[in-house]
Amino acid sequence: SQQGEEDPQALSIQEGENATMNCSYKTSINNLQWYRQNSGRGLVHLILIRSNEREKHSGRLRVTLDTSKKSSSLLITASRAADTASYFCATDKSNGNNRLAFGKGNQVVVIP
Amino acid sequence: KAGVTQTPRYLIKTRGQQVTLSCSPISGHRSVSWYQQTPGQGLQFLFEYFSETQRNKGNFPGRFSGRQFSNSRSEMNVSTLELGDSALYLCASSPDGNYGYTFGSGTRLTVV
């Protein structure tokens, strides 16, 4: 079954730097979503990009989607200490099969 | 508006017991999904309910069940608990499953 897979697994950066995470998946999708999770709490929806979109922005977040390569990237610009969290990509299959397949997550630590 | 509410936040049960977890979605959201999160397996889809009907089901044994009420509130039940059922159980709601999900803070279940 399809599953998002993030790369790299852990990232440590200085405040103000940019952080980039990648995600790959295996089968066709309806959309791809990125979520953030702080310390084992609930997930916060960051951004959704549909299969017919190539790039999307939301504040300091930029997401790209390359359906030919079955991959996506999440860029966080000008990182802040509050961005320290785990970031997950999740794919939503086509055909109205409304279930998310999550990757293993990226742990991002932003050092003040 | 109020977010997704999950109760209880923490739960400790003994092997062999059963447990019921509750989820109140955002008002107006008719799709409620459940996920299990463990360090080893990551986030795994359990099931999705829409308008009181189970629309999708993940690959979990029959000990895991759920239901949705007419007010969209959902419960999941795990019978004959095993140590491996210890996890963070997350509930997510969406208007119809196509616009991204709002997650609750989760119920952390520990089986001893």
Side-chain angles (χ1 to χ4, degrees):
Chain A
S1 61
Q2 62 177 235
Q3 184 161 359
E5 297 177 357
E6 294 89 353
D7 173 48
Q9 298 294 313
L11 187 62
S12 182
I13 57 174
Q14 293 290 133
E15 202 166 31
E17 292 181 338
N18 296 341
T20 300
M21 289 154 269
N22 298 306
C23 167
S24 61
Y25 56 92
K26 294 183 172 67
T27 61
S28 61
I29 60 171
N30 182 38
N31 62 68
L32 185 144
Q33 303 173 33
W34 285 90
Y35 289 84
R36 184 186 74 225
Q37 185 178 40
N38 292 84
S39 301
R41 296 178 64 86
L43 280 78
V44 174
H45 180 258
L46 295 176
I47 199 163
L48 180 153
I49 186 165
R50 302 194 185 282
S51 59
N52 61 352
E53 297 176 309
R54 292 296 165 259
E55 187 171 313
K56 206 161 183 180
H57 296 256
S58 176
R60 293 182 297 111
L61 305 178
R62 174 177 164 251
V63 168
T64 62
L65 179 65
D66 187 334
T67 53
S68 66
K69 295 181 180 177
K70 293 187 170 55
S71 67
S72 173
S73 68
L74 170 68
L75 168 67
I76 305 173
T77 59
S79 63
R80 304 167 182 169
D83 295 329
T84 294
S86 292
Y87 292 83
F88 295 87
C89 76
T91 53
D92 195 348
K93 284 174 69 172
S94 304
N95 306 319
N97 193 352
N98 297 319
R99 63 170 71 181
L100 295 177
F102 282 90
K104 296 296 185 186
N106 277 275
Q107 175 64 45
V108 175
V109 175
V110 181
I111 303 166
Chain B
K1 58 183 177 182
V4 177
T5 303
Q6 289 189 249
T7 57
R9 286 295 310 277
Y10 301 93
L11 206 50
I12 300 175
K13 289 286 189 178
T14 305
R15 262 185 309 177
Q17 287 187 312
Q18 76 163 18
V19 67
T20 299
L21 312 181
S22 179
C23 172
S24 293
I26 288 176
S27 178
H29 285 192
R30 294 197 292 166
S31 169
V32 175
S33 302
W34 289 88
Y35 291 82
Q36 181 198 65
Q37 186 178 26
T38 59
Q41 298 299 316
L43 281 150
Q44 293 188 288
F45 172 80
L46 280 157
F47 24 66
E48 184 223 6
Y49 287 87
F50 184 84
S51 294
E52 301 179 66
T53 302
Q54 186 180 87
R55 194 160 66 168
N56 289 288
K57 189 176 190 304
N59 297 322
F60 279 81
R63 300 185 297 106
F64 291 81
S65 63
R67 58 179 175 169
Q68 186 180 33
F69 302 95
S70 58
N71 61 358
S72 292
R73 189 177 71 86
S74 177
E75 290 181 345
M76 69 163 280
N77 185 78
V78 188
S79 62
T80 320
L81 284 165
E82 300 176 0
L83 295 179
D85 297 332
S86 295
L88 180 66
Y89 289 89
L90 293 162
C91 166
S93 78
S94 170
D96 66 358
N98 286 319
Y99 296 98
Y101 294 82
T102 301
F103 280 79
S105 296
T107 293
R108 185 162 295 281
L109 171 66
T110 302
V111 182
V112 298

